[in-house]
Amino acid sequence: GVDYSSDTIVIKNTTVSFNELPLLLNGDIEGFQSENPNYSLVYKSNALTLQALLAAIPEDIIDERDVGSGDGQISISGSVSGVMGSSEAPNIETDLTITDVRYDAPGLPVSIADANGDFSLNQGMIGLDGFSARLGRSDVAISASYGPIQQGASSISSPSLRAEISSQYLDLDELVPAVEEPEGPTPYEPMPDIAISAGFSGSKVMLRGIEMSDLKLTATAGDQILRLTDINARMYGGSFTGSIVQDLTDISKPAVQVDARMSELATGDIISEFLPIGKSLNGTLSSTISASTILDQLGNPVDQALNGFGDLAVSEGKIMNWPPFQKMAGFLKLKNSEAINFQSLTGGFRVDN
């Protein structure tokens, strides 16, 4: 019940509904008739179903056709404490726990299943702890924090996002479907004023049909510069390390710097992605590449701005059944012309514009 007998409202085991979402309240509001009431409330909900929570979302926020559907259990608890005034707001703490949640919506490329985790809001910081879910064929585990967020009229510093993400299997081709290139230029937008620091590790990752294993990287962003550093992965039977830096300080000419080192990759497998001769090659490929350029408004490198250098080496190589060579060998009447073996093949390049 609610006691209005004094300047302090006392609330005991009172259920209120916000957009049909029931919350059990306890606590008091001191000086509720003044301009600066002081709140001291705790609230919680009984376990809700996701479908009930989705049904409580007002249509003026999300059209019911876009809300989607799902099931699973959700519980909410928290507190409101402090003064509510024209220049200040009470601190709101909230904990939301999801258990075995499944969700599907028209705008999602895959369904979300077996989602579990804890979301929190405390002192203006949003937290995500122990979250895990299946996304189509993929799985993901995330712990993250974001904030501070604006609460009341007080000023805040620029927010930051920190995250650790891991996966046993991540199919980026399924999660981020290919989109048609726009008919006209799409101007780059400045990055939001957020400091980002994130780490990722994946046992197996699929990207544009390329299978990578033991992928690890660190992503940071701030001051209009995005950095992917400490990239390490196994691919094509060998290893890859490198970094990518994108500079959006001048969004009319976004710059990119790529540094990569590849070691003992299966030569035929990687070259066949680009050239037919790859199907006729055996051996291991090692290479070091450093390149920089600016991008056009479609995200493609501008040839006139490309600068770079690199070297490559193919070891224990063999060219097998390559049609041009077979035709030449036949013309010259060479025997044993099905394959050419070589110990090593090295080369390098440099581009200056």
Side-chain angles (χ1 to χ4, degrees), residues 31-87:
F32 72 95
Q33 295 181 337
S34 68
E35 294 182 355
N36 300 295
N38 191 346
Y39 288 77
S40 180
L41 299 173
V42 294
Y43 58 88
K44 67 178 182 178
S45 73
N46 294 323
L48 304 168
T49 64
L50 176 62
Q51 195 61 43
L53 186 62
L54 294 174
I57 299 176
E59 291 186 12
D60 59 344
I61 296 179
I62 302 179
D63 189 289
E64 63 177 352
R65 293 171 296 183
D66 299 325
V67 169
S69 61
D71 55 34
Q73 299 295 310
I74 297 178
S75 61
I76 301 173
S77 63
S79 64
V80 181
S81 59
V83 174
M84 171 76 78
S86 58
S87 61

Short mmCIF file of all heavy atoms in Angstrom, two decimals, residues 31-87:
data_model
loop_
_atom_site.label_atom_id
_atom_site.label_comp_id
_atom_site.label_asym_id
_atom_site.label_seq_id
_atom_site.Cartn_x
_atom_site.Cartn_y
_atom_site.Cartn_z
N GLY A 31 9.54 14.51 0.75
CA GLY A 31 9.27 15.84 0.20
C GLY A 31 8.62 15.77 -1.17
O GLY A 31 8.99 16.54 -2.06
N PHE A 32 7.66 14.88 -1.33
CA PHE A 32 7.09 14.66 -2.66
C PHE A 32 6.31 15.88 -3.16
O PHE A 32 6.07 16.02 -4.35
CB PHE A 32 6.19 13.43 -2.66
CG PHE A 32 4.88 13.59 -1.94
CD1 PHE A 32 3.72 13.94 -2.63
CD2 PHE A 32 4.79 13.39 -0.57
CE1 PHE A 32 2.51 14.09 -1.96
CE2 PHE A 32 3.59 13.55 0.10
CZ PHE A 32 2.44 13.89 -0.58
N GLN A 33 5.92 16.79 -2.25
CA GLN A 33 5.22 17.99 -2.69
C GLN A 33 6.16 19.16 -2.99
O GLN A 33 5.71 20.21 -3.47
CB GLN A 33 4.20 18.42 -1.62
CG GLN A 33 3.08 17.41 -1.43
CD GLN A 33 2.06 17.87 -0.39
OE1 GLN A 33 2.36 18.70 0.47
NE2 GLN A 33 0.85 17.32 -0.46
N SER A 34 7.44 18.98 -2.75
CA SER A 34 8.42 20.05 -3.00
C SER A 34 8.92 19.96 -4.44
O SER A 34 8.60 19.03 -5.19
CB SER A 34 9.60 19.92 -2.03
OG SER A 34 10.36 18.75 -2.33
N GLU A 35 9.75 20.93 -4.82
CA GLU A 35 10.32 20.94 -6.17
C GLU A 35 11.47 19.96 -6.32
O GLU A 35 11.86 19.63 -7.44
CB GLU A 35 10.81 22.35 -6.53
CG GLU A 35 9.71 23.38 -6.64
CD GLU A 35 10.24 24.74 -7.04
OE1 GLU A 35 11.50 24.87 -7.13
OE2 GLU A 35 9.44 25.66 -7.25
N ASN A 36 12.02 19.49 -5.18
CA ASN A 36 13.16 18.59 -5.22
C ASN A 36 12.92 17.37 -4.34
O ASN A 36 13.57 17.20 -3.30
CB ASN A 36 14.44 19.32 -4.78
CG ASN A 36 14.77 20.50 -5.67
OD1 ASN A 36 15.06 20.33 -6.84
ND2 ASN A 36 14.71 21.70 -5.10
N PRO A 37 11.98 16.50 -4.71
CA PRO A 37 11.73 15.31 -3.90
C PRO A 37 12.93 14.36 -3.91
O PRO A 37 13.69 14.30 -4.88
CB PRO A 37 10.52 14.67 -4.59
CG PRO A 37 10.58 15.16 -6.00
CD PRO A 37 11.15 16.54 -5.93
N ASN A 38 13.08 13.65 -2.81
CA ASN A 38 14.20 12.72 -2.65
C ASN A 38 13.65 11.29 -2.72
O ASN A 38 12.85 10.88 -1.89
CB ASN A 38 14.89 12.96 -1.30
CG ASN A 38 16.21 12.21 -1.20
OD1 ASN A 38 16.50 11.33 -2.00
ND2 ASN A 38 17.01 12.55 -0.21
N TYR A 39 14.13 10.53 -3.71
CA TYR A 39 13.62 9.18 -3.94
C TYR A 39 14.51 8.14 -3.27
O TYR A 39 15.74 8.23 -3.31
CB TYR A 39 13.56 8.88 -5.44
CG TYR A 39 12.47 9.61 -6.18
CD1 TYR A 39 12.61 10.95 -6.51
CD2 TYR A 39 11.30 8.95 -6.55
CE1 TYR A 39 11.60 11.63 -7.19
CE2 TYR A 39 10.30 9.62 -7.24
CZ TYR A 39 10.45 10.95 -7.55
OH TYR A 39 9.46 11.62 -8.22
N SER A 40 13.87 7.14 -2.69
CA SER A 40 14.57 5.97 -2.18
C SER A 40 13.66 4.77 -2.42
O SER A 40 12.87 4.38 -1.55
CB SER A 40 14.88 6.13 -0.69
OG SER A 40 15.56 4.99 -0.20
N LEU A 41 13.75 4.21 -3.62
CA LEU A 41 12.84 3.15 -4.04
C LEU A 41 13.63 1.94 -4.56
O LEU A 41 14.71 2.09 -5.12
CB LEU A 41 11.91 3.63 -5.16
CG LEU A 41 10.99 4.82 -4.87
CD1 LEU A 41 10.29 5.26 -6.15
CD2 LEU A 41 9.95 4.42 -3.81
N VAL A 42 13.07 0.78 -4.32
CA VAL A 42 13.58 -0.43 -4.96
C VAL A 42 12.41 -1.06 -5.71
O VAL A 42 11.25 -0.92 -5.33
CB VAL A 42 14.16 -1.43 -3.93
CG1 VAL A 42 15.40 -0.85 -3.28
CG2 VAL A 42 13.13 -1.82 -2.89
N TYR A 43 12.75 -1.73 -6.80
CA TYR A 43 11.69 -2.34 -7.60
C TYR A 43 12.18 -3.67 -8.16
O TYR A 43 13.38 -3.92 -8.29
CB TYR A 43 11.27 -1.42 -8.75
CG TYR A 43 12.39 -1.03 -9.69
CD1 TYR A 43 12.72 -1.80 -10.79
CD2 TYR A 43 13.13 0.13 -9.45
CE1 TYR A 43 13.75 -1.44 -11.64
CE2 TYR A 43 14.17 0.50 -10.30
CZ TYR A 43 14.46 -0.29 -11.39
OH TYR A 43 15.49 0.07 -12.22
N LYS A 44 11.24 -4.52 -8.49
CA LYS A 44 11.57 -5.80 -9.12
C LYS A 44 10.33 -6.32 -9.82
O LYS A 44 9.20 -5.88 -9.57
CB LYS A 44 12.07 -6.81 -8.09
CG LYS A 44 11.03 -7.27 -7.09
CD LYS A 44 11.62 -8.32 -6.14
CE LYS A 44 10.56 -8.82 -5.16
NZ LYS A 44 11.09 -9.88 -4.27
N SER A 45 10.57 -7.22 -10.73
CA SER A 45 9.47 -7.88 -11.42
C SER A 45 9.57 -9.37 -11.19
O SER A 45 10.66 -9.90 -10.97
CB SER A 45 9.52 -7.60 -12.92
OG SER A 45 10.60 -8.32 -13.51
N ASN A 46 8.44 -10.03 -11.24
CA ASN A 46 8.49 -11.48 -11.28
C ASN A 46 8.98 -11.88 -12.67
O ASN A 46 9.04 -11.06 -13.59
CB ASN A 46 7.10 -12.06 -11.02
CG ASN A 46 6.62 -11.78 -9.61
OD1 ASN A 46 7.41 -11.80 -8.67
ND2 ASN A 46 5.33 -11.49 -9.47
N ALA A 47 9.38 -13.12 -12.82
CA ALA A 47 9.89 -13.56 -14.11
C ALA A 47 8.84 -13.32 -15.19
O ALA A 47 7.70 -13.78 -15.09
CB ALA A 47 10.26 -15.04 -14.04
N LEU A 48 9.24 -12.59 -16.21
CA LEU A 48 8.35 -12.29 -17.32
C LEU A 48 8.74 -13.15 -18.51
O LEU A 48 9.85 -13.67 -18.59
CB LEU A 48 8.48 -10.81 -17.72
CG LEU A 48 8.22 -9.78 -16.64
CD1 LEU A 48 8.68 -8.41 -17.13
CD2 LEU A 48 6.76 -9.74 -16.28
N THR A 49 7.83 -13.27 -19.45
CA THR A 49 8.21 -13.89 -20.72
C THR A 49 8.61 -12.78 -21.68
O THR A 49 8.14 -11.65 -21.59
CB THR A 49 7.04 -14.69 -21.31
OG1 THR A 49 5.97 -13.79 -21.63
CG2 THR A 49 6.56 -15.75 -20.34
N LEU A 50 9.52 -13.11 -22.61
CA LEU A 50 9.93 -12.13 -23.61
C LEU A 50 8.73 -11.66 -24.43
O LEU A 50 8.62 -10.48 -24.76
CB LEU A 50 10.99 -12.72 -24.52
CG LEU A 50 11.45 -11.82 -25.68
CD1 LEU A 50 12.08 -10.54 -25.16
CD2 LEU A 50 12.42 -12.56 -26.59
N GLN A 51 7.81 -12.57 -24.75
CA GLN A 51 6.66 -12.19 -25.56
C GLN A 51 5.82 -11.14 -24.84
O GLN A 51 5.34 -10.19 -25.46
CB GLN A 51 5.81 -13.42 -25.88
CG GLN A 51 4.80 -13.22 -26.99
CD GLN A 51 5.46 -12.87 -28.31
OE1 GLN A 51 6.47 -13.46 -28.68
NE2 GLN A 51 4.92 -11.89 -29.01
N ALA A 52 5.65 -11.27 -23.51
CA ALA A 52 4.89 -10.28 -22.76
C ALA A 52 5.61 -8.93 -22.76
O ALA A 52 4.97 -7.87 -22.85
CB ALA A 52 4.68 -10.76 -21.33
N LEU A 53 6.94 -8.96 -22.66
CA LEU A 53 7.70 -7.72 -22.68
C LEU A 53 7.61 -7.04 -24.05
O LEU A 53 7.45 -5.82 -24.15
CB LEU A 53 9.16 -8.00 -22.34
CG LEU A 53 10.07 -6.78 -22.17
CD1 LEU A 53 9.61 -5.90 -21.03
CD2 LEU A 53 11.51 -7.23 -21.95
N LEU A 54 7.68 -7.82 -25.13
CA LEU A 54 7.56 -7.25 -26.47
C LEU A 54 6.18 -6.64 -26.67
O LEU A 54 6.03 -5.59 -27.30
CB LEU A 54 7.81 -8.34 -27.53
CG LEU A 54 9.22 -8.92 -27.59
CD1 LEU A 54 9.28 -10.07 -28.58
CD2 LEU A 54 10.23 -7.85 -27.96
N ALA A 55 5.16 -7.28 -26.12
CA ALA A 55 3.80 -6.76 -26.27
C ALA A 55 3.62 -5.44 -25.53
O ALA A 55 2.70 -4.67 -25.85
CB ALA A 55 2.80 -7.79 -25.77
N ALA A 56 4.49 -5.18 -24.54
CA ALA A 56 4.37 -3.94 -23.75
C ALA A 56 5.03 -2.75 -24.42
O ALA A 56 4.89 -1.62 -23.95
CB ALA A 56 4.96 -4.16 -22.37
N ILE A 57 5.76 -2.95 -25.52
CA ILE A 57 6.43 -1.85 -26.20
C ILE A 57 5.39 -1.00 -26.94
O ILE A 57 4.64 -1.53 -27.76
CB ILE A 57 7.49 -2.37 -27.20
CG1 ILE A 57 8.55 -3.18 -26.45
CG2 ILE A 57 8.13 -1.21 -27.95
CD1 ILE A 57 9.58 -3.81 -27.37
N PRO A 58 5.31 0.29 -26.68
CA PRO A 58 4.31 1.14 -27.35
C PRO A 58 4.50 1.15 -28.86
O PRO A 58 5.63 1.13 -29.36
CB PRO A 58 4.56 2.54 -26.74
CG PRO A 58 5.30 2.29 -25.48
CD PRO A 58 6.11 1.06 -25.71
N GLU A 59 3.41 1.20 -29.60
CA GLU A 59 3.48 1.20 -31.06
C GLU A 59 4.13 2.47 -31.60
O GLU A 59 4.65 2.46 -32.72
CB GLU A 59 2.09 1.03 -31.66
CG GLU A 59 1.49 -0.35 -31.44
CD GLU A 59 0.19 -0.52 -32.18
OE1 GLU A 59 -0.12 0.33 -33.04
OE2 GLU A 59 -0.53 -1.51 -31.92
N ASP A 60 4.09 3.58 -30.83
CA ASP A 60 4.72 4.81 -31.33
C ASP A 60 6.25 4.72 -31.24
O ASP A 60 6.96 5.57 -31.78
CB ASP A 60 4.22 6.03 -30.57
CG ASP A 60 4.48 5.95 -29.07
OD1 ASP A 60 4.76 4.84 -28.59
OD2 ASP A 60 4.40 6.98 -28.39
N ILE A 61 6.78 3.69 -30.56
CA ILE A 61 8.22 3.47 -30.49
C ILE A 61 8.65 2.48 -31.57
O ILE A 61 9.58 2.73 -32.33
CB ILE A 61 8.64 2.97 -29.09
CG1 ILE A 61 8.34 4.06 -28.04
CG2 ILE A 61 10.11 2.59 -29.08
CD1 ILE A 61 8.68 3.63 -26.63
N ILE A 62 8.00 1.35 -31.65
CA ILE A 62 8.29 0.33 -32.66
C ILE A 62 6.97 -0.21 -33.20
O ILE A 62 6.10 -0.61 -32.42
CB ILE A 62 9.13 -0.83 -32.08
CG1 ILE A 62 10.44 -0.32 -31.50
CG2 ILE A 62 9.42 -1.87 -33.17
CD1 ILE A 62 11.29 -1.42 -30.89
N ASP A 63 6.83 -0.21 -34.51
CA ASP A 63 5.65 -0.78 -35.14
C ASP A 63 5.55 -2.25 -34.77
O ASP A 63 6.55 -2.98 -34.77
CB ASP A 63 5.73 -0.63 -36.66
CG ASP A 63 4.41 -0.99 -37.33
OD1 ASP A 63 4.08 -2.19 -37.35
OD2 ASP A 63 3.73 -0.08 -37.84
N GLU A 64 4.34 -2.70 -34.43
CA GLU A 64 4.17 -4.08 -33.98
C GLU A 64 4.63 -5.09 -35.02
O GLU A 64 5.03 -6.21 -34.68
CB GLU A 64 2.72 -4.34 -33.60
CG GLU A 64 1.73 -4.21 -34.74
CD GLU A 64 0.31 -4.54 -34.31
OE1 GLU A 64 0.15 -5.01 -33.17
OE2 GLU A 64 -0.62 -4.37 -35.11
N ARG A 65 4.62 -4.72 -36.29
CA ARG A 65 5.09 -5.62 -37.34
C ARG A 65 6.60 -5.81 -37.29
O ARG A 65 7.14 -6.79 -37.82
CB ARG A 65 4.67 -5.10 -38.71
CG ARG A 65 3.17 -5.12 -38.95
CD ARG A 65 2.82 -4.40 -40.23
NE ARG A 65 3.17 -2.98 -40.14
CZ ARG A 65 2.92 -2.09 -41.10
NH1 ARG A 65 2.36 -2.49 -42.23
NH2 ARG A 65 3.25 -0.81 -40.94
N ASP A 66 7.33 -4.87 -36.67
CA ASP A 66 8.78 -4.95 -36.59
C ASP A 66 9.27 -5.46 -35.24
O ASP A 66 10.47 -5.66 -35.07
CB ASP A 66 9.39 -3.56 -36.86
CG ASP A 66 9.05 -3.03 -38.23
OD1 ASP A 66 8.96 -3.84 -39.17
OD2 ASP A 66 8.84 -1.80 -38.36
N VAL A 67 8.36 -5.64 -34.28
CA VAL A 67 8.77 -6.05 -32.94
C VAL A 67 9.36 -7.44 -32.94
O VAL A 67 10.33 -7.73 -32.25
CB VAL A 67 7.58 -5.95 -31.97
CG1 VAL A 67 7.91 -6.62 -30.64
CG2 VAL A 67 7.21 -4.49 -31.73
N GLY A 68 8.80 -8.34 -33.73
CA GLY A 68 9.28 -9.71 -33.76
C GLY A 68 8.59 -10.57 -32.72
O GLY A 68 7.63 -10.15 -32.06
N SER A 69 9.10 -11.77 -32.56
CA SER A 69 8.50 -12.71 -31.62
C SER A 69 9.59 -13.50 -30.92
O SER A 69 10.73 -13.55 -31.39
CB SER A 69 7.56 -13.67 -32.36
OG SER A 69 8.28 -14.42 -33.32
N GLY A 70 9.23 -14.10 -29.80
CA GLY A 70 10.21 -14.88 -29.07
C GLY A 70 9.64 -15.44 -27.80
O GLY A 70 8.45 -15.26 -27.48
N ASP A 71 10.48 -16.12 -27.04
CA ASP A 71 10.08 -16.63 -25.74
C ASP A 71 11.31 -16.68 -24.85
O ASP A 71 12.41 -16.33 -25.25
CB ASP A 71 9.40 -17.99 -25.85
CG ASP A 71 10.28 -19.01 -26.59
OD1 ASP A 71 11.51 -18.95 -26.46
OD2 ASP A 71 9.72 -19.85 -27.32
N GLY A 72 11.11 -17.13 -23.61
CA GLY A 72 12.19 -17.13 -22.64
C GLY A 72 11.82 -16.27 -21.45
O GLY A 72 10.83 -15.52 -21.47
N GLN A 73 12.60 -16.35 -20.38
CA GLN A 73 12.30 -15.66 -19.14
C GLN A 73 13.17 -14.41 -18.96
O GLN A 73 14.35 -14.42 -19.30
CB GLN A 73 12.51 -16.59 -17.95
CG GLN A 73 11.62 -17.83 -17.97
CD GLN A 73 10.16 -17.48 -17.82
OE1 GLN A 73 9.78 -16.73 -16.92
NE2 GLN A 73 9.32 -18.01 -18.70
N ILE A 74 12.56 -13.36 -18.41
CA ILE A 74 13.25 -12.10 -18.14
C ILE A 74 12.85 -11.61 -16.75
O ILE A 74 11.67 -11.64 -16.39
CB ILE A 74 12.90 -11.01 -19.17
CG1 ILE A 74 13.35 -11.44 -20.57
CG2 ILE A 74 13.52 -9.67 -18.80
CD1 ILE A 74 12.98 -10.45 -21.65
N SER A 75 13.81 -11.19 -15.95
CA SER A 75 13.52 -10.59 -14.65
C SER A 75 14.25 -9.27 -14.52
O SER A 75 15.36 -9.10 -15.04
CB SER A 75 13.92 -11.53 -13.51
OG SER A 75 15.31 -11.81 -13.54
N ILE A 76 13.61 -8.33 -13.83
CA ILE A 76 14.14 -6.97 -13.69
C ILE A 76 14.12 -6.59 -12.21
O ILE A 76 13.16 -6.87 -11.50
CB ILE A 76 13.30 -5.96 -14.49
CG1 ILE A 76 13.27 -6.33 -15.98
CG2 ILE A 76 13.84 -4.54 -14.32
CD1 ILE A 76 12.31 -5.47 -16.79
N SER A 77 15.20 -5.96 -11.76
CA SER A 77 15.24 -5.41 -10.40
C SER A 77 16.13 -4.19 -10.41
O SER A 77 16.94 -3.99 -11.31
CB SER A 77 15.76 -6.45 -9.40
OG SER A 77 17.09 -6.81 -9.71
N GLY A 78 15.97 -3.36 -9.37
CA GLY A 78 16.81 -2.16 -9.32
C GLY A 78 16.36 -1.19 -8.25
O GLY A 78 15.54 -1.52 -7.38
N SER A 79 16.91 0.02 -8.35
CA SER A 79 16.59 1.04 -7.35
C SER A 79 16.65 2.42 -7.97
O SER A 79 17.30 2.64 -8.99
CB SER A 79 17.56 0.96 -6.16
OG SER A 79 18.88 1.25 -6.58
N VAL A 80 15.96 3.38 -7.32
CA VAL A 80 16.01 4.80 -7.66
C VAL A 80 16.33 5.55 -6.39
O VAL A 80 15.60 5.45 -5.39
CB VAL A 80 14.66 5.29 -8.25
CG1 VAL A 80 14.75 6.76 -8.62
CG2 VAL A 80 14.25 4.45 -9.46
N SER A 81 17.45 6.27 -6.38
CA SER A 81 17.85 6.97 -5.15
C SER A 81 18.43 8.34 -5.49
O SER A 81 19.20 8.48 -6.43
CB SER A 81 18.88 6.15 -4.37
OG SER A 81 20.02 5.92 -5.16
N GLY A 82 18.01 9.34 -4.70
CA GLY A 82 18.56 10.68 -4.90
C GLY A 82 17.48 11.70 -5.19
O GLY A 82 16.28 11.40 -5.24
N VAL A 83 17.92 12.93 -5.40
CA VAL A 83 17.01 14.07 -5.57
C VAL A 83 16.64 14.24 -7.03
O VAL A 83 17.49 14.14 -7.92
CB VAL A 83 17.66 15.35 -5.03
CG1 VAL A 83 16.79 16.57 -5.31
CG2 VAL A 83 17.92 15.22 -3.52
N MET A 84 15.37 14.52 -7.25
CA MET A 84 14.88 14.85 -8.59
C MET A 84 14.62 16.35 -8.62
O MET A 84 13.75 16.86 -7.91
CB MET A 84 13.59 14.09 -8.90
CG MET A 84 12.89 14.54 -10.19
SD MET A 84 13.70 13.92 -11.67
CE MET A 84 13.12 12.22 -11.68
N GLY A 85 15.38 17.07 -9.43
CA GLY A 85 15.21 18.51 -9.54
C GLY A 85 15.42 18.99 -10.95
O GLY A 85 15.64 18.20 -11.88
N SER A 86 15.39 20.31 -11.13
CA SER A 86 15.54 20.87 -12.47
C SER A 86 16.93 20.67 -13.03
O SER A 86 17.12 20.62 -14.24
CB SER A 86 15.21 22.37 -12.44
OG SER A 86 16.08 23.05 -11.53
N SER A 87 17.93 20.52 -12.16
CA SER A 87 19.31 20.38 -12.63
C SER A 87 19.96 19.08 -12.19
O SER A 87 21.16 18.91 -12.39
CB SER A 87 20.16 21.56 -12.14
OG SER A 87 20.18 21.60 -10.72
#
